[in-house]
Amino acid sequence: PKVILATGARPAIPPLDGLGDVDYLTNETVWDLDALPMSLAVLGGGAIGCELAQAFARLGSTVTVIEGADRILPREDPDASAVITHALGADGIAVRTSQSAQRVEALDRKGAVRLELADGSNLEADRLLIAVGRAGATGGLGLDAADVATDRGFVTTDDTLRTSGTGVWAVGDVTGRLQFTHAADEMGRVAAANALGRSSRRRFRADAVPWVTFTDPEVAQVGITEADAAARCARVAYLPMS
């Protein structure tokens, strides 16, 4: 038998003290809100955190973004991070980088929280949005029994998308590779061809896949970053879009 795992991913929930007692939001549950929170704390300054932070700020919420790295959008080029930091500030969003939450406490208002931050300060908000990343949806699959290896919650694959389990491939977000719909589509084509073909060994190449962060302005990227190029001793050229 041949099996292709395509179970996707779920919001990663950090082991934050007190979080189990809080009615927090994720990018999957935030759409269930029936009223605009007056204030919103966003834990995580990646693509999802920045997109939703800007959306809620423009709807009228007072928003604070908390990011552990020294800049928001840490996967993007530093110049792009600087542009989006400025754009969020122009929308009235407080961006706190190199900062982490140590503890969260539920307040007496439904969904309201008090966050204790690493620098000793406290932040209160009507709602808390967790946006610290994604984790592979592998629960209940019995991967150990099938000898399918995982790494940090994602199914491990080679570049043909084969797993360590006999006759098992994996595609999409569950692999922890580029977590985009168009990337998952291509992975599905590659894995299906390899699973069904007698000698076909198509490979998924991630070096020229485009992606976009849907802030305003948007951040678009194709292929490696400037830092990656520099590490490979490549020449970097700038092309003004004007």
Side-chain angles (χ1 to χ4, degrees), residues 205-218:
R205 298 185 58 187
D207 54 357
V209 176
W211 72 74
V212 179
T213 298
F214 294 102
T215 47
D216 181 19
E218 296 171 337

Side-chain angles (χ1 to χ4, degrees), residues 71-86 219:
R71 59 187 175 93
I72 59 172
L73 299 179
R75 292 185 59 195
E76 306 290 349
D77 186 272
D79 288 343
S81 294
V83 169
I84 300 305
T85 298
H86 177 77
V219 177

Side-chain angles (χ1 to χ4, degrees), residues 113-236:
V113 300
R114 178 185 294 112
L115 283 167
E116 180 181 319
L117 303 182
D119 63 2
S121 64
N122 291 320
L123 171 66
E124 293 189 6
D126 289 329
R127 299 304 301 255
L128 171 65
L129 172 66
I130 302 293
V132 297
R134 307 282 289 171
T138 58
L141 296 181
L143 298 182
D144 290 342
D147 294 323
V148 173
T150 60
D151 179 28
R152 292 172 295 177
F154 293 101
V155 174
T156 303
T157 64
D158 62 17
D159 57 2
T160 70
L161 302 174
R162 182 190 291 272
T163 74
S164 57
T166 302
V168 182
W169 287 257
V171 303
D173 290 4
V174 74
T175 68
R177 293 172 179 263
L178 295 177
Q179 298 186 44
F180 306 104
T181 303
H182 53 287
D185 178 82
E186 175 61 14
M187 282 187 254
R189 297 171 189 273
V190 169
N194 289 336
L196 298 176
R198 293 184 177 180
S199 60
S200 175
R201 286 296 176 267
R202 294 181 56 184
R203 300 181 185 278
F204 174 72
R205 298 185 58 187
D207 54 357
V209 176
W211 72 74
V212 179
T213 298
F214 294 102
T215 47
D216 181 19
E218 296 171 337
V219 177
Q221 176 175 318
V222 179
I224 63 176
T225 64
E226 181 178 339
D228 292 331
R232 301 181 189 186
C233 299
R235 185 173 61 181
V236 176

